[in-house]
């Protein structure tokens, strides 16, 4: 079972990610269960998903347009971004767009082929939750602080290193 990490803590995951089966249909889920549905399913029946007793979040594929969610962002407690392959970095851009352009303030979760090695770089662009792929447990270290600082501007640090005042001990 994948490990769920939120804000640096391993927690039980109360959400169920729904992916279409071979027939293209989403699996059924009890109405009171919290589910994460693909963007296309959300856009097809947003009002229906909002009316169900359980909460509904949305997951984005790497080629989905986050602008399509703009009218719904205030009512979404969770948006997941899928990383179908470890080498597919388009989700980083989606996260920055959601946080910086669209001011999304809810949970932003990385799902798919997510390894502990990626936590710091994903966190820097705005992710705050991670569903770590089975078999990719890591060494149990502090995955948020693999580096002491970064040179680049990012969601967490809007000033580059050369603009920050470094104090000597």
């Amino acid at each position: 079972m994948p490990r769920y990490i939120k804000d640096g803590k391993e927690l039980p995951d109360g959400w169920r990610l729904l992916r279409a089966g071979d027939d293209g249909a989403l699996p059924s889920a009890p109405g009171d269960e919290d589910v994460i549905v693909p963007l296309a399913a959300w856009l097809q029946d947003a009002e229906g998903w909002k009316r169900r007793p359980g909460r509904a979040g949305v997951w984005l594929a790497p080629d989905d347009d986050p602008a399509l969610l703009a009218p719904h962002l205030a009512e979404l407690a969770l948006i997941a971004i899928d990383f179908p392959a470890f080498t597919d970095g388009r989700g980083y851009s989606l996260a920055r767009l959601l946080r910086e352009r669209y001011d999304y303030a809810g949970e932003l979760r990385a799902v798919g082929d997510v390894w502990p090695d990626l936590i710091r770089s994903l966190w820097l662009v705005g992710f705050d939750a991670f569903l770590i792929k089975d078999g990719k447990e890591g060494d149990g270290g502090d995955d948020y602080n693999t580096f002491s600082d970064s040179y680049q501007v990012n969601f967490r640090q809007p000033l580059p290193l050369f603009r920050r005042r470094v104090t000597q001990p």
Side-chain angles (χ1 to χ4, degrees), residues 86 112-119 122 131-133 136 143:
F86 180 80
D113 197 7
V114 178
W115 300 13
D117 310 30
L118 299 176
I119 287 179
L122 290 167
L131 200 58
I132 305 299
K133 182 178 182 178
K136 302 296 178 188
D143 297 313

Side-chain angles (χ1 to χ4, degrees), residues 26 37-46 49 58-60 64:
L26 290 178
V37 300
L39 176 62
W42 174 266
L43 294 174
Q44 186 177 357
D45 187 19
W49 290 112
V58 174
W59 66 267
L60 301 174
D64 283 339

Side-chain angles (χ1 to χ4, degrees), residues 62-63 82-92 118:
D63 55 353
D82 189 32
F83 287 84
F86 180 80
T87 56
D88 190 339
R90 293 175 287 174
Y92 290 85
L118 299 176

